[in-house]
Amino acid sequence: MDINQRRQYIIDMVKEQGVVRIADISHELNVTRETIRKDIYTLDKQGLIQAVRGGATASETVSGTKYGHRTAINIPEKQQIAQNAIRFIHDGDSIFLDYGTTAFEVAEAIKRSSLKNITIITNSTTVLSTLLYEKKVDMIFLGGSVRGDEGSVSGPLTLDNINNIYADVGFFGSGGVNLTAGVTNHYFGEVEVSKQMMAHCRIKIVLADHTKFEKTALYRTANINDIDVVITDDAINPQIAKDMCLADVSFINGELTSKDVTID
C-alpha cells in the first residue's frame, strides 16, 4: 500500500467509524505509529479529517466547504500533477501559486523536495499556512479581501500589490480547459488576479486534472495559446490528449510530454 492508498484508507475509516486511533490503524496497515501520525497531521492540514490526541475524527469545519470538498477528490491525480509541476522549479526561483486544490499539492511537493531558496507568491491562505514556516521558502502573501470558503484573496488591494511583483513561473488552476473557450474558472475576483499575475510570470503553467477538460466555467482566464504548459494526469481521455498535443502549448499527460520544455 503506497502513501496515497494509506491516506485514503484513513479517510475512509474516519468516514465509516467517525473516529480512529493511531494504534489501530498502525496495526491494521503494519506501519509505524509515527507514519500514521504524520499522515493524520497532513490530512488535518488539508481539512479532510481532524487530528485529535491519539487519533483522528471527522472534521466539522473545513471539510464542509466547497474547497474542503474538492481537496478530497482525485488526490492521486493532483499529486501526480504536482510532481510533474515541480520539475519546472529550480533553486532560487520565484513562483506564483494560486488558490486551487492542485496548487496546494504543489506546495506540499515543494515542502517534500530538496529545492531551496524559493520565493512563493500566493493569494491562497492554505498555501500560506502550508509553507509559512519552511526555512527554504520566502513567502509573499498578496493580501486583499478573503473569501473564506475558498481561502483565497482578491479585489483591488490584491491587484494593486501584483503591480510590482514578478515571478519566474506561475502555476494556475482551472475550472475548465478546452481548445475553444480556453482556460476558464468560476469566480470573477480570482480570475482577475490570475489574469494580472499571468502577465507578470515568465512561464505560465496551468494545472488541470482530467475531469476539467472539455468543461467550461463562467469566466475566461486565458486562451490556450497564452499558456506555456498544461499539466494533467494520465487518466485523461486519449482523444482530448491528442488534440491538446496538437495545440500550440506544451502538454504533460502523466509521464508523457508532447514537447521538450526547459526553463532557462
Side-chain angles (χ1 to χ4, degrees), residues 94-97 167-172 201-206:
S94 55
I95 306 300
F96 174 74
L97 287 177
D168 294 306
V169 187
F171 296 99
F172 302 88
C201 292
R202 184 166 58 89
I203 302 294
K204 296 170 281 294
I205 299 177
V206 167

Side-chain angles (χ1 to χ4, degrees), residues 69-144:
H69 173 70
R70 295 202 316 277
T71 59
I73 299 173
N74 299 324
I75 295 174
E77 289 87 349
K78 292 172 182 177
Q79 290 176 338
Q80 181 187 56
I81 292 168
Q83 286 303 313
N84 276 324
I86 64 169
R87 293 165 49 196
F88 293 86
I89 305 175
H90 300 98
D91 292 345
D93 277 351
S94 55
I95 306 300
F96 174 74
L97 287 177
D98 79 355
Y99 69 99
T101 56
T102 308
F104 168 79
E105 293 296 347
V106 175
E108 287 286 339
I110 289 172
K111 186 162 62 174
R112 295 190 299 267
S113 75
S114 60
L115 291 165
K116 55 184 182 293
N117 299 325
I118 304 299
T119 299
I120 301 293
I121 306 152
T122 189
N123 64 329
S124 166
T125 59
T126 309
V127 170
L128 175 67
S129 63
T130 299
L131 295 175
L132 184 60
Y133 299 108
E134 288 294 312
K135 293 182 179 179
K136 61 186 175 184
V137 172
D138 290 327
M139 292 297 305
I140 298 176
F141 187 60
L142 291 176

Side-chain angles (χ1 to χ4, degrees), residues 180-201:
T180 302
V183 180
T184 55
N185 228 323
H186 300 286
Y187 304 106
F188 179 77
E190 284 85 343
V191 166
E192 290 300 296
V193 171
S194 295
K195 284 182 177 179
Q196 189 159 327
M197 200 63 221
M198 279 183 176
H200 286 215
C201 292

